[in-house]
Amino acid sequence: MRLSVRHITRYRFDQPVRGIVQSQKLWPASSAGQRILSWEVTSEGAQTGAEFVDGGGDMIRLATWRGPLTELTVEVLGEVETTDLFGVLRDHRERVPPSAYLRPTRQVEADAELKMLSAVALKGMEGASALDRAHALSRAVSGAIAYKPGETQPHTTAAEALAGGVGVCQDHAHALISVAHAADMPARYVTGYLQANEDGSPHEASHAWAEIWVPELGWVGFDAANECCPDDRYVRLGSGYDALDAAPIRGLVQGGTPEEELEVEVVVTAGQQQQQQ
């Protein structure tokens, strides 16, 4: 599938700030499941600095704005050709070993309830494959946390989302990482884009899911919010230990503590597949 992505992030401040520094993780990596046809990130008015690829295989760029400024915009425009690999991440170059993704963070640390959810999901599956166990964990999270926007916050932890029983894709991904860790399975947070729900219903085009390490296959994606594995409707942007670590944009405001208004617009559309000659 050929997907077009338009992603605009706009910040407004109620008083001028002296400057802004951002770490931008906004470039998808090519892999067997996605081929980048074009991709441009525009940070209007910024001085762009060092670019590097981190251990997870994601490109990061630093951008700096000098003030005074009360507004800034970052725009992403790109086209990606995707292939359904049933969630398997293949031919993605990275250096960090899977075992590194057993590390808990505040947002994914398993409490007693998450450990219980993991144990119950895997009960009787001692001889099952790692892939079957991962699917069982994803189903358990889907069943335990109903998709309901507006009930959780960006800082909500996996334990808090499970206790509330509701959340969004970020909460499903955190909870799935947590129950996988409880089962001693490496897991990580993935950000990206989703073209549409399978039934065409409305959804968040800016999306998140989890990847679990399956020794016989490598990293496999699980979207517990939509009860499926990522397919050709998905564009994988980047990964990390949790939502904060994987965030497409992380920033620091210099000078004052202004009130900030954040506006994010993401549109993902499917185009015509190119004909093979």
Side-chain angles (χ1 to χ4, degrees), residues 107 152-157 170 174 243:
Q107 288 190 297
T152 54
Q153 304 297 322
H155 53 74
T156 298
T157 67
Q170 172 179 300
H174 280 157

Side-chain angles (χ1 to χ4, degrees), residues 102-148:
L102 285 167
R103 169 186 160 187
T105 67
R106 177 185 176 276
Q107 288 190 297
V108 303
E109 187 165 13
D111 66 354
E113 297 302 317
L114 283 159
K115 291 177 181 174
M116 179 64 72
L117 180 65
S118 179
V120 171
L122 299 180
K123 188 176 181 180
M125 298 188 69
E126 290 78 7
S129 68
L131 181 61
D132 287 343
R133 289 160 59 84
H135 276 292
L137 293 173
S138 185
R139 286 194 298 270
V141 170
S142 298
I145 301 176
Y147 182 81
K148 190 174 182 180

Side-chain angles (χ1 to χ4, degrees), residues 199-211:
D199 61 0
S201 59
H203 69 96
E204 296 175 276
S206 179
H207 201 51
W209 57 94
E211 288 176 345

Side-chain angles (χ1 to χ4, degrees), residues 22-271:
Q22 285 187 350
S23 169
Q24 301 174 338
K25 190 185 283 191
L26 288 166
W27 290 263
S30 289
S31 65
Q34 60 184 29
R35 185 166 69 95
I36 313 305
L37 303 175
S38 65
W39 201 266
E40 183 178 10
V41 178
T42 303
S43 305
E44 187 175 349
Q47 290 185 322
T48 54
E51 296 179 356
F52 64 95
V53 177
D54 68 9
D58 303 317
M59 178 176 150
I60 296 175
R61 184 173 75 181
L62 301 180
T64 303
W65 286 260
R66 290 186 176 179
L69 72 164
T70 56
E71 180 176 328
L72 68 87
T73 300
V74 179
E75 182 173 9
V76 176
L77 290 173
E79 283 191 305
V80 182
E81 188 175 273
T82 59
T83 302
D84 184 7
L85 297 179
F86 306 98
V88 178
L89 180 63
R90 189 174 296 157
D91 297 341
H92 176 71
R93 295 185 177 183
E94 56 185 308
R95 301 188 307 275
V96 176
S99 58
Y101 293 98
L102 285 167
R103 169 186 160 187
T105 67
R106 177 185 176 276
Q107 288 190 297
V108 303
E109 187 165 13
D111 66 354
E113 297 302 317
L114 283 159
K115 291 177 181 174
M116 179 64 72
L117 180 65
S118 179
V120 171
L122 299 180
K123 188 176 181 180
M125 298 188 69
E126 290 78 7
S129 68
L131 181 61
D132 287 343
R133 289 160 59 84
H135 276 292
L137 293 173
S138 185
R139 286 194 298 270
V141 170
S142 298
I145 301 176
Y147 182 81
K148 190 174 182 180
E151 298 293 323
T152 54
Q153 304 297 322
H155 53 74
T156 298
T157 67
E160 291 167 343
L162 179 62
V166 293
V168 293
C169 58
Q170 172 179 300
D171 304 300
H172 288 92
H174 280 157
L176 183 50
I177 293 168
S178 183
V179 297
H181 286 176
D184 202 29
M185 302 176 75
R188 63 188 179 187
Y189 191 97
V190 179
T191 62
Y193 304 105
L194 173 57
Q195 187 263 327
N197 287 341
E198 202 163 5
D199 61 0
S201 59
H203 69 96
E204 296 175 276
S206 179
H207 201 51
W209 57 94
E211 288 176 345
I212 298 177
W213 178 255
V214 176
E216 59 266 35
L217 293 173
W219 289 108
V220 181
F222 294 88
D223 181 2
N226 286 312
E227 303 180 24
C228 67
C229 288
D231 53 28
D232 57 356
R233 298 169 299 149
Y234 291 68
V235 175
R236 186 185 189 279
L237 190 57
S239 66
Y241 295 110
D242 56 24
L244 179 62
D245 189 43
I249 297 177
R250 298 174 68 176
L252 176 67
V253 177
Q254 300 172 320
T257 54
E259 291 290 330
E260 176 184 301
E261 179 185 338
L262 174 63
E263 180 183 324
V264 179
E265 178 186 349
V266 182
V267 179
V268 181
T269 54

